[in-house]
Amino acid sequence: MTAPAIRHYLQFSDFTADEYAYLFERAALIKAKFKAYEKHQPLTDRTLALIFEKASTRTRVSFEAGMYQLGGSVVHLTTGDSQLGRSEPIDDSAKVISRMVDLVMIRTFEQAKIEAFAAASRVPVINGLTNEFHPCQILADLFTFIEHRGSIKGKTVAWVGDGNNMANTWLQAAEILDFTVHVSTPSGYEVDQDVAGIRSSDSYKVFKDPMDACRGADLVTTDVWTSMGYEAENEARRKAFADWCVDEEMMRAAQPDALFMHCLPAHRGEEVQAEVIDGPQSVVWDEAENRMHVQKALMEFLLLGRMA
Ligand code: CP
Ligand code: NVA
């Protein structure tokens, strides 16, 4: 009997719409069990390695708590406390780590680095954020939207801010799950279709004015002006992004029942007004919590496949 091929989760486009439908259903069940204090431990004796080359709060806690809840355990590595920071070749690291654990999550800089790790790995690899993509976050954001509003098919998501890893991942999700993204970025910070890895521009529209992007949107979302790894550009970005702050006027331009999301960490008074992120349309705390539930479904899927 031949072993089934390893599946990685390196970008949103690694899964089909049908697989996402399964994952959202499974995450809802896993979340319900968690809320009822019911044990769900399909990953007993499995080990997850968490490799961080950038800082994290949500990603670390959600994966670590999630894996323990599934019955497994976790090994935590950073650039500073492993040979990764001392130039051990990435595929040597991948070969060694993947002989000892069942699953690996990596947060790093270039997407090429996680792709290289995955190519040399014996076990599934999950993208916990790269410069280009943040698929686990969009998985949680979509699950949160579905919980509050039902299917996202045919809906409009307004992206206000940087053409960054989050924006790219929204674009991939729109292409797979059949919704539209209204993108408004300052000039010089636009999304790039090639970097985003999408087939066409059919699922997104670009707006110069962020107000126009928000008009009629079912969800308004943004992110920090300066992502991790781009700190040297901080001053230039503060100037360029001054008009890309999600405020109450933008929320009024959206649908009356529009949701507001932010992957966090947030900077009130920069990319979002406190009145919006702390206001009634904001679902940022559900969004953060849901990281754990969807990632539990993701880890189970990568290691065990579809459960009945
Ligand atoms: N949203 C998110 O990935 O948060 P952390 O950087 O805290 O992991
Ligand atoms: N775009 C941000 C997301 C942080 C979760 C970053 O890459 O720093």
Side-chain angles (χ1 to χ4, degrees):
M1 201 176 87
T2 47
I6 299 172
R7 296 284 301 272
H8 300 294
Y9 192 53
L10 305 182
Q11 42 188 303
F12 199 88
S13 59
D14 285 340
F15 291 169
T16 63
D18 184 56
E19 287 169 332
Y20 281 113
Y22 166 78
L23 281 175
F24 295 138
E25 245 183 61
R26 193 72 190 162
L29 185 137
I30 288 172
K31 180 172 180 175
K33 283 189 169 189
F34 174 80
K35 295 289 178 187
Y37 297 96
E38 205 182 303
K39 269 193 183 165
H40 178 67
Q41 304 198 318
L43 300 187
T44 307
D45 294 336
R46 306 291 182 113
T47 307
L48 165 70
L50 292 170
I51 302 175
F52 285 97
E53 300 210 280
K54 291 174 176 171
S56 169
T57 296
R58 278 144 290 269
T59 303
R60 178 171 179 185
V61 177
S62 57
F63 269 108
E64 200 158 327
M67 188 55 170
Y68 284 123
Q69 289 162 23
L70 291 172
S73 59
V74 170
V75 176
H76 181 257
L77 291 163
T78 67
T79 313
D81 65 15
S82 68
Q83 302 291 3
L84 288 160
R86 297 182 62 252
S87 313
E88 180 164 9
I90 194 81
D91 34 345
D92 289 2
S93 303
K95 282 176 189 155
V96 171
I97 294 167
S98 70
R99 278 182 180 232
M100 300 180 195
V101 303
D102 302 279
L103 189 60
V104 178
M105 186 239 67
I106 307 181
R107 167 168 287 196
T108 188
F109 293 87
E110 298 79 22
Q111 181 72 12
K113 204 165 174 185
I114 197 171
E115 304 270 354
F117 190 104
S121 172
R122 286 183 166 192
V123 301
V125 177
I126 299 172
N127 182 345
L129 181 147
T130 57
N131 291 349
E132 290 86 351
F133 301 114
H134 197 3
C136 293
Q137 183 67 53
I138 300 301
L139 192 61
D141 293 5
L142 289 164
F143 180 70
T144 307
F145 186 90
I146 293 164
E147 276 191 324
H148 284 269
R149 296 285 181 266
S151 171
I152 197 154
K153 189 171 178 181
K155 303 283 187 190
T156 299
V157 174
W159 176 263
V160 176
D162 193 13
N164 64 10
N165 42 12
M166 284 290 297
N168 290 336
T169 313
W170 273 115
L171 296 186
Q172 287 199 350
E175 197 159 70
I176 293 162
L177 300 179
D178 206 10
F179 61 92
T180 303
V181 185
H182 286 182
V183 181
S184 180
T185 70
S187 91
Y189 300 94
E190 293 88 354
V191 287
D192 176 329
Q193 210 172 293
D194 291 333
V195 177
I198 51 172
R199 289 189 298 276
S200 75
S201 56
D202 293 352
S203 54
Y204 75 100
K205 291 189 189 121
V206 173
F207 296 82
K208 244 189 155 69
D209 184 339
M211 272 297 283
D212 292 334
C214 293
R215 235 174 278 289
D218 301 286
L219 165 63
V220 177
T221 184
T222 186
D223 187 11
V224 290
W225 289 344
T226 305
S227 286
M228 291 179 280
Y230 297 83
E231 290 79 4
E233 300 173 14
N234 209 9
E235 270 321 295
R237 283 172 173 267
R238 285 171 87 89
K239 287 191 192 109
F241 282 79
D243 294 332
W244 276 262
C245 171
V246 177
D247 57 18
E248 289 177 299
E249 209 188 330
M250 289 184 200
M251 290 307 295
R252 274 194 294 274
Q255 294 288 352
D257 68 344
L259 299 175
F260 172 78
M261 289 191 196
H262 189 312
C263 64
L264 307 174
H267 300 82
R268 290 168 177 76
E270 291 190 11
E271 74 275 7
V272 61
Q273 258 186 352
E275 290 76 2
V276 171
I277 192 167
D278 300 319
Q281 287 164 280
S282 173
V283 290
V284 297
W285 312 122
D286 289 345
E287 202 188 339
E289 176 189 326
N290 282 335
R291 287 289 302 278
M292 185 174 81
H293 306 303
V294 296
Q295 288 162 193
K296 284 168 74 176
L298 172 67
M299 291 190 283
E300 184 191 74
F301 180 65
L302 289 172
L303 288 177
L304 305 178
R306 287 191 195 225
M307 311 296 277

